[in-house]
Amino acid sequence: MSDSTAGSDVPPPAVPEERGDFAGLVPAPIAGPFRKSWAWFDDRTGITGLLYKGLYEAVPKRGGWAYTLGSATLVVIIVQFFTGIFLLLDYVPSVTQAYGSLLYLRTDDLFGDWIRGIHLWGAYTLMLLIGVHALRTFISASYKKPRELNWISGVMLFFLVLAMAITGAMLPWDQASYWTAVVVTNIPHYLPVIGNGVRALWRGGDFVGPLTLTRTFALHIWVLPALLLGLIGGHLYLLRRHGEFGSWVNYRTTTDDPEKEIAERIRHAEPPYPTRGSEPRYSVPSETVDFFPDQLFKDTVVSLVLVIFIFVMALISGAPLDGPANAATLTYVPTPEWFYLPLDQLLVFFPTELIGFGVFVVVGIGATLMLALPFIDRNPERHPIRRPDVLVPAFFFIGTVIYLAMLGVNRLYNL
Ligand code: HEM
């Protein structure tokens, strides 16, 4: 492919609104006695057009199974929201009643224990899914121009989900959650200048107590979900604006005149392609299919398998509940959730007085590098083999994380 095509960016389509506007061109999806009501509703909202636009947008044909991870993440988050609402029917956010309300849920509520198990296994699955989804978009270099904000909003979602997991773990007010609260709410005090103030604000005083639970509860059910929903909206809007990049396999040229082939693709592109602001060769996949039924079918299969897995695991192994919180215990050794194991193990290598500093340096550097990735990696190539400068350090990092997790398991469980 010649440089003249690679250099200039694709301008916006001539009349974008018209190209994406299905309103008035498509039949109402509802027949029979409800058709009139649908027409009334459609007149006011334009819902039919939106529905068709959503369903019949083009997505890359090849590699569709890898693109199911984002929608599966979304489905598991929805499961978390639903089960969270059900848990709220019994849970009481008070240090004197939280534990008892979960005991009640366990013994007296017909599906209570199962719902709690689904919420826990949903959280585990979500952590894994979000990691694999991030890894897939990293390997396919989907973070490159113009999708930098897809990636940055994704990184912020990743940290929000981690925050949801850690605040959720503090709510049962059993031994595990109480000591998690003691350790986690202590971390902010290592921040320079404002550290002590942030810790006191979160704890509601110098020590973990009733206000700590009230505030952590507010974070878990209001503040973080609101941010999460807003950011998911933004993430999906950007996805629809730029279209799914997919991966390098979707952009191979097959003729001996790649420039002409790419120009042809751009001429015949279906919305949302050609991607505005993209290099021409990566602006339109060589072959696309409609989101419905092709991609939606794959999304449904993967999400369904995962939801069944979560439901079954919740039934088999439920969610643990330790003894009630006891601030006077001297022997309790808090163990971190598996997804915090690598960080926990890394901090073992720091002297005690430097642990907080270690958290901020390690998490701070990691988060900054992740957020800045689209601006650090300026290599225009998308094929992983041609991007060793980012792939090699990333795989070294992943290998270290796995190794630390193994060390952590050995240390905590004497394997
Ligand atoms: C709440 C969490 C998240 C949800 C619900 C979500 C949802 C989605 C969905 C539905 C897609 C389109 C399908 C796909 O490519 O899999 C997508 C694409 C994308 N996501 Fe996420 N995502 C989340 C977190 C993340 C994270 C943690 C990252 C990276 C750190 C990320 C980066 C991206 C990128 C770059 C794309 C564009 C992929 C492409 O065009 O090839 N997302 N996301």
Side-chain angles (χ1 to χ4, degrees):
M1 111 129 270
S2 90
D3 276 337
S4 65
T5 340
S8 59
D9 293 340
V10 172
V15 193
E17 295 80 3
E18 272 176 25
R19 300 187 53 175
D21 188 7
F22 286 78
L25 301 175
V26 291
I30 290 187
F34 297 109
R35 200 184 171 99
K36 255 182 128 175
S37 318
W38 181 270
W40 183 93
F41 191 61
D42 188 36
D43 271 346
R44 272 96 192 144
T45 59
I47 180 87
T48 310
L50 279 178
L51 210 60
Y52 276 79
K53 184 169 154 43
L55 288 177
Y56 295 110
E57 215 151 55
V59 291
K61 184 173 179 184
R62 296 197 55 194
W65 289 104
Y67 319 145
T68 58
L69 296 164
S71 57
T73 307
L74 187 61
V75 167
V76 176
I77 286 185
I78 293 170
V79 168
Q80 292 303 90
F81 273 96
F82 271 101
T83 46
I85 290 169
F86 276 108
L87 290 176
L88 283 178
L89 299 181
D90 281 344
Y91 177 78
V92 183
S94 125
V95 291
T96 51
Q97 294 177 62
Y99 184 78
S101 67
L102 290 184
L103 277 185
Y104 168 82
L105 176 140
R106 206 165 219 201
T107 48
D108 292 80
D109 194 323
L110 190 54
F111 296 111
D113 209 28
W114 193 29
I115 297 281
R116 194 165 161 250
I118 295 172
H119 203 64
L120 180 77
W121 282 93
Y124 288 167
T125 311
L126 184 55
M127 298 305 307
L128 213 62
L129 260 181
I130 203 169
V132 184
H133 171 58
L135 188 65
R136 172 326 253 173
T137 58
F138 170 73
I139 293 176
S140 62
S142 299
Y143 52 82
K144 295 198 175 188
K145 191 184 169 197
R147 294 182 181 79
E148 298 93 331
L149 292 179
N150 298 45
W151 173 264
I152 291 173
S153 56
V155 173
M156 290 160 79
L157 281 168
F158 175 74
F159 283 106
L160 272 178
V161 167
L162 275 181
M164 286 293 286
I166 201 73
T167 49
M170 294 185 208
L171 298 182
W173 221 245
D174 59 354
Q175 282 285 65
S177 92
Y178 174 79
W179 289 103
T180 302
V182 171
V183 173
V184 172
T185 58
N186 194 41
I187 293 174
H189 99 278
Y190 293 103
L191 274 172
V193 188
I194 53 167
N196 283 337
V198 175
R199 179 176 65 180
L201 185 69
W202 191 354
R203 285 186 169 178
D206 287 339
F207 301 102
V208 166
L211 278 177
T212 320
L213 182 57
T214 309
R215 289 174 188 189
T216 307
F217 178 69
L219 284 173
H220 188 76
I221 72 146
W222 293 117
V223 182
L224 296 173
L227 293 174
L228 196 71
L229 284 182
L231 263 177
I232 290 177
H235 195 67
L236 298 184
Y237 163 76
L238 290 170
L239 171 75
R240 280 301 165 117
R241 176 176 167 82
H242 302 308
E244 174 84 33
F245 171 71
S247 87
W248 68 95
V249 291
N250 299 112
Y251 299 87
R252 287 198 285 230
T253 47
T254 48
T255 62
D256 46 13
D257 189 352
E259 219 172 297
K260 189 170 158 214
E261 193 181 336
I262 289 164
E264 274 302 297
R265 273 188 209 165
I266 293 177
R267 195 163 319 126
H268 298 292
E270 297 210 23
Y273 305 109
T275 301
R276 297 163 223 217
S278 162
E279 269 180 85
R281 65 169 155 163
Y282 294 124
S283 66
V284 187
S286 54
E287 284 179 287
T288 59
V289 286
D290 283 339
F291 176 71
F292 172 79
D294 295 75
Q295 186 62 39
L296 191 58
F297 169 73
K298 293 179 176 137
D299 286 350
T300 310
V301 170
V302 171
S303 296
L304 208 63
V305 168
L306 286 169
V307 169
I308 292 172
F309 167 78
I310 292 168
F311 277 44
V312 171
M313 287 313 291
L315 208 54
I316 297 172
S317 102
L321 195 60
D322 266 359
N326 180 1
T329 336
L330 297 174
T331 49
Y332 190 82
V333 182
T335 48
E337 284 287 8
W338 59 267
F339 41 85
Y340 281 108
L341 260 180
L343 182 62
D344 185 67
Q345 178 61 30
L346 182 69
L347 295 177
V348 170
F349 300 132
F350 281 79
T352 320
E353 60 278 10
L354 287 182
I355 283 186
F357 174 74
V359 171
F360 284 109
V361 171
V362 173
V363 176
I365 293 180
T368 311
L369 283 179
M370 278 175 84
L371 285 168
L373 175 68
F375 310 104
I376 296 173
D377 178 12
R378 313 299 294 180
N379 177 355
E381 289 296 343
R382 309 280 177 133
H383 196 301
I385 300 284
R386 299 194 197 105
R387 295 160 46 224
D389 42 340
V390 287
L391 263 289
V392 171
F395 281 111
F396 176 74
F397 170 77
I398 293 168
T400 311
V401 167
I402 295 173
Y403 179 63
L404 284 172
M406 283 161 52
L407 285 182
V409 171
N410 262 335
R411 174 174 56 89
L412 292 166
Y413 305 103
N414 295 322
L415 295 180

